[in-house]
Amino acid sequence: MNVSVEILQLLSEVGYMSCFKNDTKNAKIIMDGVDAIAGDQVPTKMGVALVDLYSGRYDKAIDTLQNYVLVREPDHMSAQCFLGMALKMSGKDSEAKDIFDHVVKNGNDDERVIASVHLGI
């Protein structure tokens, strides 16, 4: 199936809106569909990980971020933020702290703020 980038972006946005409105069931369905169509693309995998994070599937989010996104883009600071959040939510505070410390040193302004909040600074 040949789907335009614009359609995939629109579907991803609908998936994000569902996720942020606490409709994680439909968000997961939408993002899994986008992932199946888009194939191996970092932005799509980020969306899948984000929905997993917001759905409480922390181990899946960690796996996607560590073994897919950050393998391909190790300096992706947003992925690092989401990984830190997933680690923290799954009780891996020490690992999360290391990630957030890294983001505070290397991220952009928004990423540093997110990491700082999670570090309590």
Side-chain angles (χ1 to χ4, degrees):
M1 174 185 266
N2 190 7
V3 178
S4 72
V5 171
E6 291 82 15
I7 295 294
L8 289 173
Q9 287 174 334
L10 181 61
L11 288 169
S12 293
E13 288 175 20
V14 172
Y16 289 135
M17 285 189 289
S18 294
C19 184
F20 298 138
K21 292 222 175 242
N22 236 8
D23 184 3
T24 55
K25 179 181 176 186
N26 283 321
K28 177 86 171 122
I29 291 167
I30 293 165
M31 291 309 296
D32 284 348
V34 170
D35 188 33
I37 294 168
D40 291 334
Q41 295 183 25
V42 167
T44 302
K45 296 296 185 188
M46 282 286 294
V48 169
L50 186 61
V51 169
D52 284 336
L53 174 63
Y54 276 82
S55 301
R57 292 185 286 270
Y58 308 123
D59 289 339
K60 287 190 69 153
I62 292 167
D63 181 59
T64 300
L65 292 165
Q66 282 182 330
N67 298 316
Y68 186 87
V69 175
L70 292 169
V71 166
R72 286 156 183 79
E73 295 185 23
D75 297 325
H76 196 304
M77 290 298 116
S78 292
Q80 296 277 355
C81 280
F82 291 131
L83 175 59
M85 292 166 69
L87 288 166
K88 185 175 180 179
M89 298 297 276
S90 65
K92 299 173 183 166
D93 294 339
S94 177
E95 291 176 64
K97 183 187 179 310
D98 292 343
I99 297 288
F100 290 134
D101 285 339
H102 177 74
V103 173
V104 166
K105 292 176 187 159
N106 299 293
N108 66 27
D109 289 342
D110 293 335
E111 294 155 346
R112 285 196 302 270
V113 166
I114 292 167
S116 295
V117 166
H118 285 281
L119 287 169
I121 55 175

